[in-house]
Amino acid sequence: GENVEQHPSTLSVQEGDSAVIKCTYSDSASNYFPWYKQELGKGPQLIIDIRSNVGEKKDQRIAVTLNKTAKHFSLHITETQPEDSAVYFCAARIGGWGAQKLVFGQGTRLTINP
Amino acid sequence: DTEVTQTPKHLVMGMTNKKSLKCEQHMGHRAMYWYKQKAKKPPELMFVYSYEKLSINESVPSRFSPECPNSSLLNLHLHALQPEDSALYLCASSQDQDRVVGELFFGEGSRLTVL
C-alpha cells in the first residue's frame, strides 16, 4: 500500500547547527508534501509544504527539497534554536478525486542541545 | 492558538460508557477529519467528511461513530470502547478535501483514557 518512510527517528544537534530530516514515498501520483511540527501536548502544526511542480521552497530558516524522480523529499532547518525541539512529521497526499488523504511518516524527534 | 477547537481536552471512560468528542471550526472549511494518535506514533486517519458527507472511513470499528451536523461541527460518538482505544484523538479541517494545496489545520486533541 501507500507508504511514507521517514529518517532518522531521533536527531540531536547543537544549537546553531543544521538539521536534516528525509522522507521517501511510494505513490508516484503524490503531488503535495507537507511537514508538520508537533510540540508536547499539542496538535501537529504545518510548518512548510511543497507541491510536485516545485523542487525547493524556503521560509526563513526552514527549507524543503523535493526529488520527484527519486520520490524523496527533505526538511532542512538552519541555525537551530531550542524552540525547534519537537517531533516532526512528513506527509504525502495520495488518492484520487473525492478520496484524497495524507499519509504520514513515522516522525522524527528533534532535540536541540544548548 | 489553533482555530480548530476540540472538547473535552481529557476524557476518562469505562468500557460500558457512551461519550462524545466534539470539534468546531469557523474558518469556512468544507472538509473535516478525525485522526487517532498513539504515543510516539504519527496520526492515523479515521474518517473524512467532505461537504458534510462521509467520504472516507478507514475501516474503523463501529464503536466509533462520526457525525457532521453542519459544516462547522464534527462529533465522534464513543460506545463500548476497549482499553487499546486509549489515545489522543485529533480533529482537523481543510478548505477542501481535493485541493492540491490544502493545509490541514489540527486541533489540540482530546486525550482519551479507557479503563
Side-chain angles (χ1 to χ4, degrees):
Chain A
E2 304 89 359
N3 192 37
V4 176
E5 293 194 7
Q6 182 173 346
H7 299 282
S9 56
T10 60
L11 180 60
S12 183
V13 301
Q14 287 299 121
E15 182 178 353
D17 288 350
S18 296
V20 180
I21 303 171
K22 299 183 179 183
C23 289
T24 59
Y25 60 97
S26 58
D27 187 351
S28 56
S30 294
N31 57 16
Y32 174 64
F33 307 91
W35 285 89
Y36 287 86
K37 175 183 181 182
Q38 188 172 23
E39 297 176 334
L40 196 62
K42 295 192 174 183
Q45 183 176 18
L46 181 77
I47 55 171
I48 196 166
D49 56 14
I50 192 166
R51 285 175 282 173
S52 58
N53 59 350
V54 176
E56 184 174 359
K57 184 176 176 181
K58 191 172 181 180
D59 182 4
Q60 298 183 5
R61 297 186 297 109
I62 295 174
V64 57
T65 58
L66 171 65
N67 183 327
K68 278 220 78 177
T69 304
K71 290 191 281 188
H72 66 70
F73 56 112
S74 301
L75 178 71
H76 304 254
I77 306 174
T78 58
E79 300 171 21
T80 53
Q81 301 168 3
E83 53 265 36
D84 294 329
S85 294
V87 178
Y88 291 81
F89 293 101
C90 64
R93 183 188 293 271
I94 62 167
W97 191 263
Q100 292 198 26
K101 60 183 181 181
L102 290 181
V103 176
F104 285 86
Q106 290 299 302
T108 297
R109 181 172 296 280
L110 176 63
T111 303
I112 308 301
N113 302 308
Chain B
D1 287 341
T2 181
E3 295 181 77
V4 176
T5 304
Q6 290 188 243
T7 55
K9 290 193 186 314
H10 300 275
L11 178 63
V12 179
M13 60 187 289
M15 289 189 284
T16 58
N17 292 159
K18 282 186 181 179
K19 297 285 184 184
S20 297
L21 305 181
K22 296 185 183 301
C23 176
E24 190 169 2
Q25 58 86 15
H26 293 289
M27 295 178 280
H29 288 175
R30 302 313 301 268
M32 295 187 76
Y33 310 73
W34 280 115
Y35 282 85
K36 173 183 178 180
Q37 187 177 29
K38 300 283 267 186
K40 299 185 179 181
K41 295 290 186 183
E44 289 178 45
L45 184 64
M46 300 174 73
F47 302 103
V48 181
Y49 273 83
S50 179
Y51 289 84
E52 297 146 58
K53 288 187 168 52
L54 184 65
S55 70
I56 294 178
N57 176 341
E58 293 286 83
S59 303
V60 178
S62 59
R63 57 186 185 268
F64 295 91
S65 175
E67 178 196 18
C68 189
N70 60 54
S71 59
S72 300
L73 294 175
L74 185 66
N75 299 323
L76 187 63
H77 303 297
L78 314 170
H79 174 53
L81 294 194
Q82 304 296 309
E84 58 264 28
D85 296 322
S86 298
L88 181 68
Y89 288 84
L90 292 162
C91 175
S93 71
S94 66
Q95 188 172 359
D96 191 297
Q97 184 184 0
D98 291 311
R99 284 178 176 267
V100 173
V101 179
E103 178 177 352
L104 212 56
F105 288 83
F106 282 91
E108 301 283 90
S110 293
R111 186 160 297 283
L112 173 67
T113 302
V114 182
L115 301 177

